[in-house]
Amino acid sequence: MFPKVTSLKFSGTPFYPAVDALYSHIAQQYAHQLQYLDSSHPISSERKFEMLKHASINGIGVSNYKVPQMSAECLEKLSLYNVPSDFSWNSFEGSEFSNLYELCVYYTAASNGNQRIPARRLLFPKLKVLDVDGISNEYPVFHQAVFPEEISRLFISGFGDMYRSIRDVKLPRAKKLGISTSLDHDDTPQTVSYMNQIAKNAARAETVYFRVYNNVPVAAGDVTCTAITVLYLKTQISIETMLSLIGTLHNLVDLELGRLIGGDSTVQYVDLPESDEQLLEPFNSKLKCLALKVEDQPEARN
């Protein structure tokens, strides 16, 4: 069609098989020369993508989705979204991703309803950035892969069962470490406890992001890792809990609370020391950025 095409980007409405088929057909025409492929739709191909350097593919809407064949050695940046946690890495020729510097995987539930961790080992000797997210109970890449001792960024987001499954896994040291969860109906204190353990077990990072999004209150004693530098809680937090967190997390630089409540509804204000020196001294705080959103309580209007 167009002999010099080396880059393709596909987007549009998901769950549309006709569009998936069209994008896959176009991509196959350039499989031998394509270097950049960015698709918000699943790509299926019987041809191998021999020269791909950057690949971003979304497997959403396809049961038992199989990633198209490509060379592990050529890849420099790989993003796989909505792939089942038991998907096979056999689509990648070779086990050593010798030039890959960024890997992003978003897992869905296992396609067969159970978790399987393949025995194949994956090598990422030059990896700098690792982002793993999803709605699966297990993230197999942490059990399959051999990572460098140190990387630039490690971001993990998931639920309680997943955090429990990796709490004893040796993770690479990261200059930036991000840990987050959206719990909803999960057991908040237990999950946050696993998150604390992972943050503590990891070698000290320059920046540690700790984020919790859910509707269950979090107490001050639930967040204990003193290495945390950025804390975002979109949960019900009382003013007393906020002050306790600031006083306990001595490395905290940035704090954002998305659902601040007044605690005891009879308390109309918090009595703080008058002078700045008196206020700062008891907290021994490095806090520079504070963002608060007060939650409206119906009983307060009565």
Side-chain angles (χ1 to χ4, degrees):
M1 296 172 67
F2 305 102
K4 294 186 178 182
V5 168
T6 59
S7 177
L8 290 174
K9 183 173 182 178
F10 301 134
S11 60
T13 306
F15 307 109
Y16 198 168
V19 175
D20 297 347
L22 172 63
Y23 288 164
S24 293
H25 176 74
I26 295 173
Q28 283 192 89
Q29 306 309 307
Y30 302 100
H32 65 289
Q33 67 193 61
L34 205 62
Q35 296 184 28
Y36 302 89
L37 175 61
D38 183 353
S39 176
S40 63
H41 287 245
I43 297 295
S44 300
S45 175
E46 296 180 357
R47 301 177 185 176
K48 175 185 172 184
F49 292 89
E50 300 176 355
M51 301 180 66
L52 266 184
K53 294 182 178 180
H54 292 194
S56 178
I57 300 174
N58 194 334
I60 191 169
V62 178
S63 179
N64 298 315
Y65 178 63
K66 182 180 179 181
V67 178
Q69 289 189 331
M70 57 189 82
S71 169
E73 184 178 2
C74 287
L75 283 167
E76 297 176 359
K77 185 177 180 179
L78 175 63
S79 298
L80 300 173
Y81 299 100
N82 294 295
V83 292
S85 58
D86 57 350
F87 92 96
S88 173
W89 288 82
N90 291 333
S91 295
F92 300 93
E93 184 180 77
S95 296
E96 182 169 347
F97 294 73
S98 53
N99 292 296
L100 196 75
Y101 65 86
E102 183 170 331
L103 174 64
C104 176
V105 183
Y106 186 100
Y107 285 113
T108 59
S111 58
N112 293 323
N114 59 359
Q115 302 291 342
R116 296 178 302 161
I117 301 176
R120 182 182 179 187
R121 301 296 288 173
L122 308 170
L123 306 177
F124 300 95
K126 294 185 179 179
L127 197 70
K128 296 295 183 184
V129 175
L130 176 60
D131 292 354
V132 189
D133 197 348
I135 57 174
S136 174
N137 290 335
E138 217 169 344
Y139 292 175
V141 70
F142 286 120
H143 304 276
Q144 295 173 257
V146 178
F147 300 113
E149 288 290 324
E150 184 173 339
I151 63 177
S152 298
R153 187 182 81 195
L154 171 60
F155 281 5
I156 307 171
S157 183
F159 301 94
D161 287 342
M162 183 283 299
Y163 277 115
R164 182 171 60 249
S165 74
I166 68 168
R167 59 181 173 173
D168 296 322
V169 172
K170 182 181 179 182
L171 300 174
R173 295 192 301 271
K175 293 181 180 179
K176 290 186 178 180
L177 173 64
I179 305 174
S180 68
T181 187
S182 179
L183 301 166
D184 293 332
H185 304 294
D186 206 348
D187 179 9
T188 305
Q190 190 62 58
T191 300
V192 174
S193 175
Y194 295 145
M195 295 168 63
N196 278 304
Q197 184 174 340
I198 291 170
K200 290 176 182 177
N201 288 345
R204 179 176 291 275
E206 295 176 3
T207 306
V208 178
Y209 299 85
F210 201 95
R211 296 183 174 94
V212 179
Y213 307 80
N214 80 323
N215 297 318
V216 182
V218 172
D222 295 336
V223 182
T224 59
C225 180
T226 57
I228 295 172
T229 57
V230 179
L231 178 62
Y232 178 55
L233 301 177
K234 194 175 182 181
T235 64
Q236 286 191 347
I237 295 292
S238 69
I239 294 175
E240 293 81 7
T241 297
M242 176 191 75
L243 296 176
S244 178
L245 287 170
I246 295 173
T248 303
L249 305 178
H250 302 306
N251 290 295
L252 195 62
V253 175
D254 191 332
L255 175 62
E256 183 172 350
L257 303 179
R259 299 182 64 192
L260 185 67
I261 60 177
D264 185 347
S265 60
T266 63
V267 177
Q268 300 302 315
Y269 62 91
V270 177
D271 188 15
L272 295 176
E274 294 181 0
S275 72
D276 289 344
E277 291 184 1
Q278 286 178 306
L279 176 59
L280 292 175
E281 185 178 352
F283 289 103
N284 188 27
S285 176
K286 297 180 180 179
L287 193 66
K288 293 182 178 180
C289 300
L290 178 61
L292 305 176
K293 181 179 180 180
V294 176
E295 172 125 310
D296 186 26
Q297 294 179 282
E299 64 271 17
R301 299 194 300 266
N302 296 333

